[in-house]
Amino acid sequence: MKKIYIICALIVVIGIASGISFFLIRDASAQIPEDITLMTQENAPYRFGDEKETLKLVEFIYTHCPDVCPTTTQKMKLLKQDLEAEGVYGENVQFLTVTIDPYRDTPEVMQKYMDAFEIENDGNWIMLTGDPDKVKEEQLVIKELADTFQFQYRDPGNGFFVHTTFTYLIDENNKYIKKFPMGEEFNKDEVYDKIMKELK
């Protein structure tokens, strides 16, 4: 009987280890398809395959979010200041803020979100949304981008999205490096240390 318990325990442990390995491998191989194109806050196309080869910190938000999204953006702004002090922001690192709600978050709304946080519009922190003229198709493009990192979200019907709470650091080829918690759990010093380590 004891042998059966041991075998069952081993099966459970192996199953858990296999599951963890699967998720680690999946994350490590995640890369944004080069043909994904969205619209910036300036209503200009942004194609991932054409953009500047820098590290990028990607956050997914929606502007009506009451808590975790604005908290993350504010903490990223503080991180931006640390990176500027090191002289790497812009030259080696950029930030991307992608809305998951392109119906409401038009380029103009994304610009207002940027202005609300007093983020300088210097081309190094880019707000991304869909083309308002084809928003249904653009919603699928945003989902494809989010699916790259297994970022999940849905609107339960009240306009307040339920969504994953991670930001993502990607390399110059738009390939996954590491994910970090959003909101109060976003540790700007941890993200800073990882970015600086990648730049060495």
Side-chain angles (χ1 to χ4, degrees):
M1 193 60 132
K2 185 184 287 186
K3 188 177 289 186
I4 293 174
Y5 287 135
I6 292 172
I7 291 171
C8 290
L10 284 172
I11 290 172
V12 170
V13 169
I14 290 170
I16 292 171
S18 298
I20 291 171
S21 298
F22 168 78
F23 287 114
L24 290 174
I25 293 169
R26 182 200 64 190
D27 286 347
S29 62
Q31 184 171 12
I32 298 173
E34 290 188 354
D35 61 346
I36 286 187
T37 303
L38 292 170
M39 301 299 288
T40 72
Q41 74 277 6
E42 296 178 331
N43 213 27
Y46 180 101
R47 183 177 180 273
F48 278 87
D50 295 340
E51 289 310 310
K52 186 177 178 181
E53 293 188 351
T54 61
L55 297 183
K56 296 178 181 71
L57 185 64
V58 183
E59 68 165 341
F60 292 93
I61 62 102
Y62 67 107
T63 63
H64 287 75
C65 179
D67 41 42
V68 69
C69 300
T71 300
T72 306
T73 302
Q74 183 59 42
K75 286 176 174 282
M76 283 176 61
K77 185 180 175 185
L78 297 175
L79 171 63
K80 171 180 176 285
Q81 294 171 358
D82 293 343
L83 295 170
E84 284 174 330
E86 282 294 327
V88 297
Y89 179 78
E91 183 66 28
N92 305 104
V93 186
Q94 292 182 314
F95 290 174
L96 299 178
T97 295
V98 185
T99 183
I100 55 176
D101 185 14
Y103 283 96
R104 292 183 292 181
D105 293 341
T106 63
E108 292 75 20
V109 171
M110 294 299 282
Q111 180 64 65
K112 288 178 181 177
Y113 184 82
M114 192 175 195
D115 294 342
F117 286 92
E118 298 181 339
I119 298 168
E120 184 181 359
N121 190 3
D122 59 2
N124 294 315
W125 191 332
I126 302 164
M127 304 280 154
L128 294 175
T129 185
D131 183 340
D133 294 331
K134 49 179 183 177
V135 71
K136 282 189 176 181
E137 295 93 328
E138 297 290 76
Q139 191 174 42
L140 295 176
V141 175
I142 290 171
K143 187 175 186 309
E144 182 183 1
L145 174 60
D147 284 348
T148 300
F149 306 110
Q150 303 300 314
F151 185 94
Q152 304 294 315
Y153 61 93
R154 67 181 178 84
D155 181 355
N158 58 7
F160 293 101
F161 283 71
V162 177
H163 61 84
T164 305
T165 53
F166 286 106
T167 58
Y168 305 89
L169 183 64
I170 59 177
D171 69 12
E172 63 276 5
N173 297 309
N174 298 320
K175 188 173 180 180
Y176 172 93
I177 297 175
K178 187 174 175 62
K179 63 185 177 183
F180 304 94
M182 291 178 69
E184 293 296 339
E185 301 301 315
F186 183 93
N187 186 328
K188 75 177 182 66
D189 295 328
E190 178 189 358
V191 184
Y192 172 87
D193 289 343
K194 182 60 177 175
I195 287 173
M196 297 308 296
K197 183 179 179 181
E198 289 293 322
L199 293 177
K200 286 181 180 177

